Structure formats: structure tokens, C-alpha cells
Amino acid sequence: MENQEAAISVNDISKIYRIGLKEEISDNFVKASLNFIRSPISNFKKHRSLYRFKDVDLDAEGSDNGGDVLWALRKVSFEIKQGEVVGIIGTNGAGKSTLLKILCKITKPTSGRAEIIGRVSSLLEVGTGFHPELTGRENIYLNGTILGMRKNEIDQKFDDIVDFSGVSKFIDTPVKRYSSGMKVRLAFSVAAYLEPEILIVDEVLAVGDADFQKKCLNKMDDVGKSGRTVLFVSHNMQAVARLCSRSILMGRGKVVDDGPSEKVISTYLNSEMGTSASKEWSDPESAPGNDIARVRAVRIVSGESKVSEYIDINQPYRIEMEYDVFESGFILLPNFHVFNSNGIAAFSVVDVDPDWRGKKRPAGRYVSSVEVPANIMAEGAFNVKAVLVTLKPLSVLFSCPSAVAFTVIDKQDGTTARGDYVGKLHGVMRPKLEWRTEYMRSDS
């Protein structure tokens, strides 16, 4: 990959917008009259200021140079090689969509430049590139022509596009009569099947239903494996981990992290931008607990012995509780309760370590952990409630709902419990069990 040419080069791109400010309200007739007379000039100045930023220091760091300036992007730079499949992640307002609009030449950067080598097909909004008065058939040919394809090339792909989109019944109906889901289906089909050298897709796929999203992800996987460049923006970390070997994390208009998807996703989810795989209480006075014991930390540890929110379904992981015992003579029972994103209890585990079971613990620091085997949980997001109780008498020392969170990723490479099946699998658990099939020869 290092010797390949760059398909996309972004160099110090910044994008600034003017935002509205509260106007002064006239409190008497004279002021109102003067403002009315001056309004043509003031309105012209306001309009001109929307596109001129001579008063803004583009090299300034940290400052927004005034209350009416919004930095959507600030000195963003990166390079994507030909054939790379790259994810762009970050919170809402991080600048992801603005960046894609610049790359697709929908809007211009305030400063900096981007170089793109290859034919680009993009899907940024519902119905992107569609003329509402034209039929679905006409829009397919229009988009193909814009991409520089000949009519016979589009003819060869036409049936595949319509079949994938599932709108064959309405292909000769004006697009303005399509639902949002139908527009997304056709738009993605056009973008993916007309063989662009660079495919750019925003979170617009969230509009489609679950089955179509699955089809889209499989298709983008095929596009990436065919050697074409894919830029994929999504809040679905499972999809990003599955499709993209590399990801770029954006925050407040800047590149926060850039590297292997597993590392970048973990940075995103373990930061203030998302949930956390580790929660620590450095101050014993404010830590949950009482005079008997207080918790110091709860962690999710991956199979590589690293604190990580990202858990490969094929790898075991540990849930750890670190705590201080101040008063000796109690039988302690650490326990964890795991819930999915819908609040459904997946499982609960209680400390059954034979070395400490039924024994009173002396004062000191402890780390209790439980290992969860691979291929137990289904893909999805989970959170952990951490609890420490005493036995004889039974008393709750501390209880931390949603202490930590993690996401199980199924890369769908054929090695998990789903095998080669790519459809939806229900349930909180997904154990990989042993199967056996016997063939009984037919007598006929």
C-alpha cells in the first residue's frame, strides 16, 4: 500500500461560516425609521460578509476570531492511497459531512486544497444527484453520463442497478414521487454499480431498512476488495470496523486520530466523545463505597490485554474491578451485570474464585476479574453494572450502574457463529456451538 499513488490528498483545508447574531431591536419610531432607510446598505454588507473573511486570521489557533465565525474545518490534512477503504468517524458537528462536501466539489474550502485522482461517485444526502422531475430510469442514465460513462456501459449495468435497488416497479415513475427509502436504494445502487474509482458514502444509509443496510455494507465490501477507493462516514462502529482497515477520527473540525480502525474506534469510544471502557476514581473520598471498601476502577480488557471498548467476537475479554478494602474481617463478593443497548440483561457473574470463596479478606487493594470466552455475546453495544457486596451480613458496599461499556464486533469473515450467513441474527447471545450433519442415502 505504501508504494501506491494517492487517490485523495487533503492539505490544510479550512472551512469557515458566518452564523447569525441577534439584531438590535428599535425601541422607538425614529430608530425604526432610520434602520429602515439604512437596511439596503446594511443588508448588502451582511450578504457580502458571508463570503469574505478578511477580518479572520486563518492561522490563529483556538480562537474563533469573533462571535459570528464558525470553524467547520480547521487545517485538516491526510492522504488516502488508491484502493484503501477508510472510515471517518466522530460526533455530530465534528466536520465529517463538510469535509465530504468539499471533496465532492459541492462547496469550496475557505483555505487549503484537495487533490482527487479518479472518477468519484458520492452519496451524501437522500436523492443526491437526482432530478425530481425525471424518472428513475432517466436519472440512472443522467448519473452515469455525469460520471463519464457511455450509454452502452450504463446499459450493461442497468439491470443490476434496478435489481439491487428493489424499485423495478417504479423505475419509470418520476423520482419526486419516491419515498426517502426508495431514493436511498436507487441512489446507492447507482453510486456503487457505475464503477467509480472513488466511492464516497455518508451516514445517509441509516435511512434504509436493516436488510438494505446489510446489502449496502456487503456491496461496499465488494467494492473495496475490487481495488477501488472507499471513503465511508458512519456512526455504526461495527460497520466501520468490518469494512475499513483504517479510520480517521474527527473532532471540532480537526483530525484527532488517524490509524488502524481498531485503535481509532477505541480512542473514539474511550474518550469524552463516547462511552468508556475504563472508569477510575482517583479520589478515595469521592469513590463509590463506604468505610469497609471503595472501588478504584472498572475496566474492559481485550484479548490482547489492553483496555478497549472494541471487542472482537472471536476473542475472549475480561471485566475487572479494582477496589480498596479498609476494614478486615468481611467476606466480599464482587459481581458484574451485563446489559445490551435495549436494557435487556445479558448475563450476571459472581466471584467464585476458590482461593477467596467464603473467606474473610484482610485490608488491602484487590483486583477481581472474570474472563468471558470468545463467541458468547452477539454483536452490539453493552454496558456493565459493577457491584460489591458483603456476605454475613448481606450488605451492598457499592453499586455502579453503567460503570463501563463495550461493543462486540462481528467482522463476518466466516469464522464466527454466523458462518457464511449475512442476514440478521436475533438474540443477546451468539455462542459458537458444534454442529454435525449426517447424510442418509436415499433408497430410491
Side-chain angles (χ1 to χ4, degrees):
M1 188 69 72
E2 293 181 357
N3 296 326
Q4 288 183 279
E5 295 183 2
I8 301 174
S9 296
V10 175
N11 300 301
D12 286 336
I13 279 185
S14 295
K15 181 63 178 178
I16 308 174
Y17 292 102
R18 297 279 186 186
I19 58 177
L21 296 177
K22 184 178 180 181
E23 295 186 3
E24 182 180 349
I25 299 176
S26 304
D27 54 4
N28 58 58
F29 178 76
V30 175
K31 285 187 177 181
S33 300
L34 290 174
N35 288 338
F36 178 77
I37 295 172
R38 296 169 182 166
S39 60
I41 298 176
S42 61
N43 289 338
F44 172 74
K45 290 181 178 179
K46 287 179 183 179
H47 177 77
R48 188 174 59 178
S49 71
L50 293 176
Y51 306 98
R52 295 186 179 182
F53 300 96
K54 294 181 179 180
D55 60 321
V56 179
D57 184 358
L58 299 179
D59 295 322
E61 290 291 334
S63 173
D64 280 346
N65 297 81
D68 64 338
V69 173
L70 172 67
W71 289 79
L73 296 172
R74 189 193 294 267
K75 292 186 175 297
V76 173
S77 298
F78 59 83
E79 188 176 90
I80 297 176
K81 301 292 186 181
Q82 292 180 2
E84 271 195 295
V85 181
V86 179
I88 298 183
I89 61 177
T91 57
N92 291 328
K96 306 184 298 297
S97 296
T98 302
L99 174 62
L100 296 194
K101 288 178 180 178
I102 290 174
L103 296 180
C104 294
K105 299 182 181 180
I106 295 174
T107 186
K108 293 182 179 180
T110 305
S111 64
R113 59 178 294 166
E115 296 181 2
I116 300 177
I117 301 175
R119 189 168 59 195
V120 179
S121 183
S122 62
L123 183 57
L124 306 185
E125 296 177 0
V126 177
T128 297
F130 282 173
H131 192 296
E133 298 297 334
L134 299 181
T135 66
R137 183 187 302 272
E138 292 167 337
N139 271 294
I140 291 175
Y141 282 92
L142 174 63
N143 275 262
T145 303
I146 291 173
L147 286 173
M149 298 183 71
R150 297 177 180 176
K151 183 178 181 298
N152 62 341
E153 292 180 280
I154 304 172
D155 289 338
Q156 295 173 5
K157 298 290 181 181
F158 185 83
D159 290 339
D160 291 333
I161 292 172
V162 176
D163 181 63
F164 187 90
S165 67
V167 298
S168 57
K169 185 177 179 180
F170 309 96
I171 197 64
D172 292 308
T173 301
V175 166
K176 66 182 181 181
R177 297 194 176 99
Y178 284 20
S179 67
S180 296
M182 292 168 64
K183 288 180 183 177
V184 168
R185 284 174 174 270
L186 187 58
F188 180 84
S189 302
V190 170
Y193 274 90
L194 292 185
E195 296 187 348
E197 292 163 304
I198 301 173
L199 177 62
I200 299 178
V201 182
D202 204 346
E203 190 65 79
V204 67
L205 292 183
V207 178
D209 56 42
D211 290 339
F212 186 70
Q213 288 182 39
K214 184 72 69 176
K215 287 175 63 178
C216 291
L217 294 176
N218 290 336
K219 183 60 182 176
M220 281 193 288
D221 197 14
D222 293 339
V223 170
K225 290 177 180 177
S226 68
R228 286 176 278 171
T229 306
V230 179
L231 202 57
F232 179 47
V233 171
S234 180
H235 290 286
N236 185 338
M237 295 301 104
Q238 298 177 39
V240 173
R242 173 190 163 189
L243 293 175
C244 310
S245 58
R246 170 189 169 196
S247 291
I248 297 172
L249 172 61
M250 296 194 65
R252 298 181 179 180
K254 298 181 180 180
V255 173
V256 178
D257 198 5
D258 184 352
S261 289
E262 179 177 348
K263 168 182 170 292
V264 176
I265 290 173
S266 180
T267 299
Y268 170 53
L269 294 174
N270 290 331
S271 70
E272 62 181 3
M273 299 177 188
T275 54
S276 176
S278 176
K279 192 165 189 177
E280 299 184 0
W281 292 268
S282 56
D283 181 11
E285 297 297 325
S286 60
N290 56 25
D291 292 339
I292 297 176
R294 291 185 182 273
V295 64
R296 291 186 61 89
V298 182
R299 309 180 191 88
I300 302 294
V301 182
S302 69
E304 292 79 20
S305 298
K306 298 178 181 178
V307 174
S308 177
E309 167 93 14
Y310 170 89
I311 301 297
D312 188 333
I313 199 171
N314 268 328
Q315 297 293 326
Y317 61 94
R318 299 196 312 275
I319 309 175
E320 292 184 351
M321 179 193 299
E322 182 177 350
Y323 53 99
D324 287 324
V325 175
F326 304 115
E327 188 174 338
S328 302
F330 291 92
I331 300 173
L332 302 181
L333 201 63
N335 54 97
F336 299 114
H337 308 269
V338 181
F339 300 84
N340 72 356
S341 58
N342 295 322
I344 298 174
F347 65 88
S348 297
V349 286
V350 178
D351 187 356
V352 291
D353 182 356
D355 291 339
W356 289 101
R357 189 173 182 180
K359 298 179 181 178
K360 296 179 180 180
R361 303 194 186 191
R365 181 167 299 176
Y366 296 82
V367 177
S368 297
S369 65
V370 59
E371 181 166 305
V372 183
N375 291 294
I376 290 294
M377 309 300 298
E379 59 189 321
F382 298 88
N383 65 81
V384 180
K385 177 181 180 180
V387 183
L388 182 64
V389 302
T390 61
L391 295 178
K392 301 176 182 179
L394 180 62
S395 175
V396 177
L397 301 184
F398 59 77
S399 177
C400 305
S402 299
V404 289
F406 63 97
T407 301
V408 176
I409 305 295
D410 187 343
K411 295 183 178 178
Q412 299 186 15
D413 55 4
T415 64
T416 68
R418 69 163 52 249
D420 297 322
Y421 180 68
V422 296
K424 184 176 180 61
L425 290 177
H426 298 278
V428 177
M429 314 295 287
R430 188 175 299 168
K432 187 177 181 181
L433 306 177
E434 184 176 342
W435 280 72
R436 185 173 64 181
T437 301
E438 295 183 9
Y439 172 56
M440 311 297 290
R441 293 180 60 88
S442 175
D443 295 333
S444 59

